[in-house]
Amino acid sequence: MNSTILFRILVVVALLVAIDFYVFQGLRTLTRELSPRSRNVIHAIYWLINISIFLSIIIGFAMIDRNSGPSHYFSKIFAFFLIFFLPKLFFAVVLLLEDAFRFIHYLFDLIASSHQEKAVFDGRRKFISQFALFLAAIPFAGILHGITRGKYNYTVHRVELFFDDLPKEFDGFTISQISDVHSGSFTNEEEVAYGIDMINEQKSDLILFTGDLVNNKAVEMEPWIKLFSSLDAPLGKFSVLGNHDYGGYINWSSSKEKAKNDERLVEIHREMGFRLMRNEHVKIKKGNAFINLIGVHNWGLPPFPQLGDLDVATAGMEQGFNVLMSHDPSHWKQKVLDYKKHMHVTMSGHTHGMQFGIEIPGFKWSPVKYRYAEWAGLYSEGNRHLYVNRGFGYIGFHGRVGIWPEITVLTLRKKAEIN
């Protein structure tokens, strides 16, 4: 193992152990009035849980197969780790603030005391530890809900966009978008079917899927082909590839094996009734009018592949109203905004909203915003728009907290002419 990686692992382990011991001091305060037997039982359970999680993570890392990627076992252990680790962070922050106050109070007493008096470093206050426990219960409940229910809390986001140059035949045209299915993470067919039914209930003219059908291998989608084949839209279903669809996160026994996987993934899109677009465009027609739908390979900032080619995708394309499918929202500012051919709407996914954050009317936050400026919802510059779908599935953390799985319904409107 690389010495740098080993050093980082040891630092993380030391930090986690330090937090555990620190939180344990608060637990001792909470239990000090209990009988010795009850106190010892609670303390033993606390350390038993921590040691079990730590050993399970070690086993999980040992079980990771670079030929197939992390297992469901590892994902579940990671979720279990988060359930207990994040609440401990909240608990530790409160204790740290209390300790800072205690230390400042001690210094003032030390300065104010006479030589005959000795300043006393106050002990912990039980009500502070109780407040810390109450605060820690909030992320505990949130993560538990995210693992059990949040990852299936499919939510429809509706957006209307107005354009001067939209053909009048397309006024009111609707597009349903889903993204980031990550079928290799699915475990509950009934819940996924519920989400598919919700998509069909929108009765949109067009259905677009903006990448990451699988986690690593095409075979992950095999059990779900029939279900996703039931998606229906009168003017068609179209898709593009995401970074996970290229199979770059695992080791392949040979280039032939990887090529076979790539071919199978393309076949699966076709079997589901989706036209997979790889640096190409197609006309969507209504009557005598049309709009251009463009789909490109994944283009992302390093380390993600930059395979999307707008020049190739739009070669020979007739001038008109343009809708672009591009998996990674980074593409929009880096290439699309200043592209010579006007892309009216770009539809992306990729970020998942990190599957963790806060969304309430008027306020939206997730840690992923510090990596992606455009990470969820609608972004506009002039008359060019980007919509970033929050994702239909999940990966890594088998849950969603505050950022729910999304079905986007985009309605195109023609601005009324003023006489």
Side-chain angles (χ1 to χ4, degrees), residues 72-93:
H72 282 292
Y73 166 83
F74 184 81
S75 297
K76 289 176 181 177
I77 290 300
F78 179 64
F80 194 56
F81 167 77
L82 286 180
I83 286 177
F84 287 95
F85 178 70
L86 284 183
K88 280 191 288 188
L89 275 184
F90 278 71
F91 195 97
V93 167

Side-chain angles (χ1 to χ4, degrees), residues 73 91 266 381 409:
Y73 166 83
F91 195 97
V266 172
E381 288 199 16
V409 178

